[in-house]
Amino acid sequence: QVVLVESGGGLVQAGGSLRLSCAASERTFSSYTMGWFRRAPGKEREFVAAISWNERSTYYADSVKGRFIISRDNFKTTLYLQMNSLKPEDTAVYHCAAHRGGTVYNQDNYYYWGQGTQVTVSS
């Protein structure tokens, strides 16, 4: 079992920045494609970004492209999401997850999930 723990959420004004972290419990983290999803109040969970195990490929939702940057440090077994130019519509609980195969955009293709960290963007 892979345990994932997110941190770094908080309250920021529109236009501000936050960096989220996701710490993984084991070294096999380095073999997983990893992703970030978010769930806003009253809405379904949606894909945000993903990164391959070797960092050669990244994927972004159109809504965050150019503003968010996903990265990872396999030595620290940690995943990151740098969020810039934040908008009120970015307000959500953000979850990291370990991919199991198939398209990275589908939440059903992830095995392990973190508990989430709250991001609130005020206007």
Side-chain angles (χ1 to χ4, degrees):
Q1 181 179 0
V2 177
V3 177
L4 304 172
V5 180
E6 302 96 333
S7 62
L11 173 65
V12 298
Q13 292 181 302
S17 297
L18 283 174
R19 190 179 78 157
L20 306 184
S21 298
C22 170
S25 63
E26 62 173 74
R27 302 175 189 86
T28 55
F29 166 87
S30 61
S31 68
Y32 289 98
T33 288
M34 297 293 296
W36 287 98
F37 288 78
R38 66 187 182 186
R39 190 183 189 100
K43 296 184 178 181
E44 296 296 318
R45 185 162 55 193
E46 65 177 356
F47 172 81
V48 177
I51 184 169
S52 63
W53 70 272
N54 57 10
E55 305 178 70
R56 292 178 182 174
S57 299
T58 56
Y59 313 83
Y60 294 95
D62 288 342
S63 60
V64 307
K65 197 171 298 180
R67 298 189 297 122
F68 292 9
I69 302 171
I70 189 170
S71 62
R72 66 193 297 163
D73 185 335
N74 287 343
F75 290 105
K76 296 181 179 179
T77 65
T78 302
L79 176 74
Y80 303 97
L81 184 68
Q82 178 66 45
M83 305 186 295
N84 301 314
S85 301
L86 283 162
K87 305 174 181 179
E89 50 263 45
D90 295 319
T91 295
V93 176
Y94 285 71
H95 299 265
C96 64
H99 187 239
R100 69 174 183 176
T103 175
V104 300
Y105 304 103
N106 188 342
Q107 64 179 327
D108 293 336
N109 293 335
Y110 292 77
Y111 275 135
Y112 305 108
W113 294 82
Q115 85 292 338
T117 186
Q118 176 71 50
V119 172
T120 303
V121 184
S122 64
S123 59

